[in-house]
Amino acid sequence: MSTKPDTDLSYWNSQFQFTRLLPHFADHVARMGERSADVTLPFERIDHGDDPRQFVQVTGSPAPGTVLPVFIHGGYWRALEAERHRFLMPTLAGIAGAAANLEYRLLPHVTLAEIIADTLAGLNALIERYEVRLLIVGHSAGGHLAVTAAQALVDNVVGAVGISGLYDLTPLQWSFLREEVGLTAGDLVGHSPQENWQGHDAGHIVVAVGAEETPEFHRQAQMFASSHGARVLTVDGAHHMNVLDALAQPDGVLARAVAEIYRGAGGSPAPHR
């Protein structure tokens, strides 16, 4: 749980509300879409439910027994889209020869518990269809979902990278999300990785955080790592939105971290195309 006793809205918004903290937030979101529109890789869509947002898109041809990187986007569980993050797929597919991009339903139309269920359903669909093990990568709320899934699907996950992720959800009940999507303490109970990883070894988990992130994101990464054995990776010069550049660039520090986990799990480098 959070060690900050202050439940003041303005304090927690100063830690979480990037639409106001980052002057060019909208430009970053728009640029992500532009970069993704330029991606020419072919994708196959696999539905994991009846809702239009319940799907995974896969590029490449995952072979049985291999390790498949999967990306889960952020947006505080209430915004953004998988398609806007396609710009990350060339690097992930370049590491493993294939990659997946997972979509899920959003708050307030469904609960956080249902979003986690969507995530697990999508990942299980990949495991069953391709007979692969997973390397899960997620940003922000997607970092929470990635680390949550790594514990829930432990037998089929070789590692996870949470990028500026949320591991202690307690403070979010005192943030702008309370009014924006009606998020309450009850919605968050039982869904914090900080609590759910008790008794489990997170040595195969990397919790990355931009050096220019707010103190709360640094606190959460350090707390999760010290409690459960994960590794903290600081991305120099990065804030909450441009931190993904270190994953999009093949020589970026986050791309190298994913490649290291992939090789450590027995994955062979993807052939040059």
Side-chain angles (χ1 to χ4, degrees), residues 11 40 61 79 109 113 136 172-173 186 192 210 223-224 239 242 261:
Y11 173 79
T40 59
S61 300
H109 309 291
I136 312 173
L172 292 169
Q173 66 186 295
S192 287
M223 180 173 64
F224 183 82
H239 57 60
N242 66 7
I261 296 173

Side-chain angles (χ1 to χ4, degrees), residues 38-106:
D38 290 336
V39 173
T40 59
L41 294 173
F43 287 89
E44 176 187 12
R45 175 178 170 128
I46 302 171
D47 292 327
H48 58 82
D50 296 329
D51 189 273
R53 291 189 65 100
Q54 291 177 304
F55 69 88
V56 189
Q57 47 188 211
V58 180
T59 186
S61 300
T66 61
V67 175
L68 178 66
V70 185
F71 183 78
I72 308 175
H73 72 83
Y76 283 123
W77 309 280
R78 95 295 185 221
L80 301 183
E81 314 84 19
E83 285 93 340
R84 192 179 295 271
H85 294 78
R86 279 191 176 190
F87 73 97
L88 302 169
M89 294 296 103
T91 295
L92 293 177
I95 291 170
N101 193 18
L102 189 145
E103 188 61 282
Y104 51 89
R105 294 172 294 170
L106 300 176

Side-chain angles (χ1 to χ4, degrees), residues 93-159:
I95 291 170
N101 193 18
L102 189 145
E103 188 61 282
Y104 51 89
R105 294 172 294 170
L106 300 176
L107 298 172
H109 309 291
V110 297
T111 65
L112 181 56
E114 288 173 305
I115 291 171
I116 293 171
D118 278 2
T119 302
L120 298 180
L123 296 174
N124 275 317
L126 294 171
I127 294 167
E128 293 168 7
R129 185 182 186 102
Y130 297 111
E131 299 179 7
V132 292
R133 295 174 295 158
L134 304 179
L135 196 174
I136 312 173
V137 185
H139 173 237
S140 193
H144 162 264
L145 294 171
V147 172
T148 295
Q151 194 268 317
L153 303 177
V154 61
D155 292 337
N156 294 296
V157 174
V158 303

